[in-house]
């Protein structure tokens, strides 16, 4: 099923011709309307879209980084006067000034189309009643999914996050068929559904449109098993306008990129060189249709790969593999690159342990060390030292096999690790704390 079939199944040659046309236009648009890009493009020698002859010529455009956007906070990267701006969103700004995103009315129309595509790809229809359990506010996720689902014709419940028992009550009382949430909050909701004790027949849930953070296949399987729903993943970020950049179809063989609105590339994070289709690297994205705040070659820091073969579902746009990690989330422990998703893939679904974990990084004898705290499913195991020791050793050995690294594994009592209603924060960095003896 499609929301905009003609666009989503456009022959590759036509799609690339459209991308080239829009790339030329956005270069001119940025050069003429954004002083930041006027200066950067002058420096790069690309003073007109006419300099772009093929899509590969995108490599001659300068990169844009999160620091560039923060340095021009709040509105110095706008391409339209404030009188044309109808919406402002922003990231949380927990590590400094927030990243601001602004929207013209046309931006909002395009955004809702993009999100509607993602929702339909994940199985949503106009007949669904969908509860949005993202936090509403400056965060793009809640209102992005809200307007996209309304454009599709679905019934939307703006529940926001938190008040979990009320969330479950609405599931039952309102006949909710779809959930929008972060994977970590969906997992917590699924646990609370079990504990609430109502029969599964009291729930009509059938799909989960999860996003805003990475979701390993193992965590997805756990959510699907607990809730008895079908889960799809979607991708976006404030700098690119929010959710709707890419999303899975029901075949779940990659996230379909909205290539008529975005031009994706994969580069080597260190050298900036292009990677071939199918090779892993950092995702770089140029917005092709944004009016309020276009970005050229935005370095997302997300590690993934792209494939361009048409999907069996009929969609022809590039497919992005689930994000494997972020360059800024990557830990380097004794010279080994470690992504939290690697650890999650080992832990989720293991017998006797829950899917909640915490990574504690410390410095000992001038070397970084990693402790993995893992939550037990039942406190009864604490009374059986032999079984507890065997479980700890099993987790240690499996982590060593996957990571190629020694880790300290600590088993903790049930429900002692923090639950998250928004994005999960798995890493506790204590490297600047005094060393423990």
């Amino acid at each position: 099923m499609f929301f905009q079939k003609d666009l989503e199944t456009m022959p590759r040659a036509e799609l690339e011709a459209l991308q080239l046309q829009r790339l030329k236009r956005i270069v001119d648009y940025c050069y003429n309307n954004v002083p930041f890009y006027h200066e950067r493009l002058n420096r790069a020698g690309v003073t007109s879209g006419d300099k772009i002859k093929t899509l590969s010529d995108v490599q001659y455009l300068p990169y844009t980084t999160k620091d560039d956007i923060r340095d021009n906070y709040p509105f110095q990267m706008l391409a339209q006067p404030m009188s044309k701006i109808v919406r402002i969103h922003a990231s949380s700004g927990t590590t400094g000034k927030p990243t601001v995103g602004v929207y013209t009315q046309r931006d909002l129309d395009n955004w809702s189309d993009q999100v509607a595509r993602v929702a339909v790809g994940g199985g949503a229809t106009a007949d669904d009643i969908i509860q949005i359990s993202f936090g509403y506010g400056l965060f793009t996720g809640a209102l992005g999914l809200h307007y996209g689902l309304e454009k599709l014709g679905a019934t939307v419940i703006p529940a926001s996050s938190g008040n979990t028992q009320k969330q479950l009550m609405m599931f039952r009382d309102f006949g909710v068929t779809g959930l929008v949430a972060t994977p970590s909050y969906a997992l917590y909701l699924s646990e609370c559904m079990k504990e609430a004790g109502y029969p599964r027949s009291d729930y009509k849930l059938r799909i989960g449109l999860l996003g805003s953070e990475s979701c390993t296949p193992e965590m997805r399987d756990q959510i699907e098993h607990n809730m008895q729903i079908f889960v799809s993943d979607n991708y976006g970020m404030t700098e690119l306008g929010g959710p709707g950049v890419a999303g899975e179809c029901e075949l779940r063989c990659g996230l379909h990129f909205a290539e008529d609105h975005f031009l994706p590339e994969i580069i080597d994070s260190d050298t900036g060189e292009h990677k071939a289709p199918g090779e892993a690297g950092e995702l770089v994205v140029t917005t092709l249709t944004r009016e309020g705040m276009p970005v050229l070659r935005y370095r997302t820091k997300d590690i993934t790969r792209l494939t361009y073969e048409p999907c069996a579902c009929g969609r022809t746009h590039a497919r992005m593999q689930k994000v494997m990690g972020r360059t800024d989330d990557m830990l380097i422990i004794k010279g080994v690159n470690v992504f939290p998703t690697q650890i999650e893939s080992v832990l989720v679904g293991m017998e006797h342990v829950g899917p909640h974990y915490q990574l504690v990084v410390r410095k000992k004898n001038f070397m970084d060390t990693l402790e993995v705290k893992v939550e037990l499913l039942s406190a009864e195991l604490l009374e059986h030292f032999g079984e507890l020791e065997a479980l700890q050793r099993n987790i240690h050995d499996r982590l060593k096999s996957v990571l190629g690294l020694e880790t300290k594994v600590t088993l903790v009592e049930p429900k002692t690790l923090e639950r998250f209603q928004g994005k999960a924060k798995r890493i506790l960095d204590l490297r600047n704390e005094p060393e423990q003896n």
Side-chain angles (χ1 to χ4, degrees):
M1 187 175 173
F2 302 90
F3 179 68
Q4 295 173 316
K5 186 173 183 179
D6 288 348
L7 291 170
E8 294 177 73
T9 63
M10 184 182 290
R12 188 81 216 163
E14 290 181 26
L15 177 57
E16 291 182 354
L18 177 64
Q19 286 181 307
L20 181 58
Q21 173 193 332
R22 289 181 169 177
L23 179 61
K24 290 182 174 187
R25 189 199 69 83
I26 206 68
V27 169
D28 281 338
Y29 184 72
C30 288
Y31 186 79
N32 294 323
N33 293 284
V34 185
F36 168 83
Y37 281 125
H38 187 90
E39 179 187 341
R40 284 282 179 93
L41 289 166
N42 268 336
R43 212 181 306 160
V46 185
T47 55
S48 161
D50 290 340
K51 301 270 188 180
I52 306 295
K53 305 298 184 185
T54 67
L55 284 178
S56 63
D57 288 343
V58 71
Q59 66 185 302
Y60 301 120
L61 302 181
Y63 290 118
T64 307
T65 66
K66 184 183 285 285
D67 285 342
D68 291 329
I69 295 175
R70 284 179 172 164
D71 290 345
N72 287 279
Y73 172 90
F75 302 132
Q76 275 131 344
M77 292 189 75
L78 267 63
Q80 290 287 323
M82 191 57 73
S83 61
K84 298 291 185 183
I85 302 303
V86 298
R87 177 89 64 80
I88 297 173
H89 280 284
S91 66
S92 61
T94 53
T95 57
K97 289 286 189 182
T99 300
V100 174
V102 301
Y103 306 77
T104 65
Q105 187 57 56
R106 182 174 292 176
D107 288 335
L108 291 184
D109 291 341
N110 283 336
W111 189 18
S112 59
D113 283 344
Q114 293 156 23
V115 173
R117 284 189 202 176
V118 166
V120 172
T125 73
D127 296 325
D128 278 302
I129 301 172
I130 298 186
Q131 188 161 311
I132 298 181
S133 298
F134 280 147
Y136 276 72
L138 289 173
F139 169 56
T140 58
L143 285 172
L145 268 294
H146 185 123
Y147 282 95
L149 288 162
E150 283 189 345
K151 181 168 275 193
L152 170 60
T155 302
V156 175
I157 302 171
S160 198
S161 58
N163 203 343
T164 299
Q165 292 308 311
K166 189 174 182 181
Q167 301 264 2
L168 301 185
M169 181 190 74
M170 288 190 289
F171 283 170
R172 298 186 299 267
D173 294 351
F174 295 171
V176 173
T177 58
L179 170 67
V180 170
T182 62
S184 51
Y185 190 49
L187 187 62
Y188 179 53
L189 283 168
S190 76
E191 292 176 343
C192 293
M193 280 176 65
K194 276 184 174 180
E195 294 170 0
Y198 289 86
R200 182 60 178 83
S201 57
D202 282 4
Y203 297 92
K204 294 183 179 179
L205 281 168
R206 66 178 195 87
I207 59 171
L209 305 172
L210 307 186
S212 185
E213 65 183 16
S214 62
C215 181
T216 61
E218 291 80 9
M219 179 180 277
R220 181 195 69 203
D221 292 345
Q222 189 83 37
I223 295 167
E224 289 188 326
H225 174 75
N226 290 355
M227 283 189 163
Q228 297 175 40
I229 62 175
F230 175 86
V231 168
S232 64
D233 197 3
N234 61 79
Y235 177 82
M237 57 178 53
T238 303
E239 297 88 336
L240 304 179
V245 176
E248 287 181 307
C249 69
E250 291 178 280
L251 299 179
R252 293 195 303 206
C253 52
L255 284 74
H256 295 273
F257 230 90
E259 281 195 282
D260 50 330
H261 294 284
F262 304 95
L263 180 62
E265 310 167 64
I266 300 292
I267 65 165
D268 183 295
S269 294
D270 297 323
T271 66
E273 293 179 1
H274 267 117
K275 293 278 195 173
E279 291 187 331
E282 181 182 352
L283 176 67
V284 173
V285 182
T286 297
T287 63
L288 298 176
T289 58
R290 282 188 79 189
E291 288 185 334
M293 189 174 159
V295 291
L296 301 178
R297 302 195 80 199
Y298 182 71
R299 294 191 61 161
T300 67
K301 297 188 177 181
D302 287 327
I303 307 300
T304 183
R305 52 170 57 91
L306 295 171
T307 182
Y308 290 88
E309 294 81 14
C311 180
C313 75
R315 291 174 175 84
T316 54
H317 294 214
R319 282 174 286 152
M320 180 181 87
Q321 184 186 30
K322 278 176 175 285
V323 172
M324 293 178 274
R326 289 179 56 79
T327 57
D328 53 359
D329 274 350
M330 184 179 74
L331 298 170
I332 302 178
I333 308 295
K334 298 177 182 175
V336 177
N337 296 345
V338 178
F339 291 103
T341 49
Q342 292 174 291
I343 294 168
E344 183 176 296
S345 68
V346 169
L347 299 177
V348 174
M350 278 191 73
E351 192 176 5
H352 302 304
V353 299
H356 304 286
Y357 63 95
Q358 184 182 56
L359 311 182
V360 184
V361 188
R362 296 185 178 90
K363 193 172 287 293
K364 186 173 182 180
N365 298 327
F366 306 103
M367 293 287 287
D368 290 342
T369 65
L370 177 62
E371 177 185 8
V372 182
K373 291 187 175 182
V374 185
E375 193 176 271
L376 294 169
L377 284 176
S378 171
E380 292 180 11
L381 198 63
L382 294 169
E383 300 172 8
H384 303 278
F385 182 76
E387 292 179 37
L388 203 64
E389 192 176 48
L391 175 61
Q392 189 175 34
R393 187 166 54 250
N394 185 23
I395 294 172
H396 168 274
D397 292 347
R398 289 176 66 172
L399 287 173
K400 185 175 181 180
S401 174
V402 169
L403 303 177
L405 178 74
E406 285 285 344
T407 61
K408 176 183 178 182
V409 175
T410 303
L411 300 176
V412 302
E413 293 186 21
K415 300 188 182 302
T416 55
L417 294 180
E418 185 179 357
R419 274 30 174 188
F420 300 94
Q421 297 172 6
K423 292 185 180 182
K425 299 176 180 65
R426 306 289 192 192
I427 301 171
L428 179 60
D429 193 338
L430 301 178
R431 282 176 285 193
N432 291 325
E433 300 290 323
E435 286 191 18
Q436 296 180 341
N437 294 325

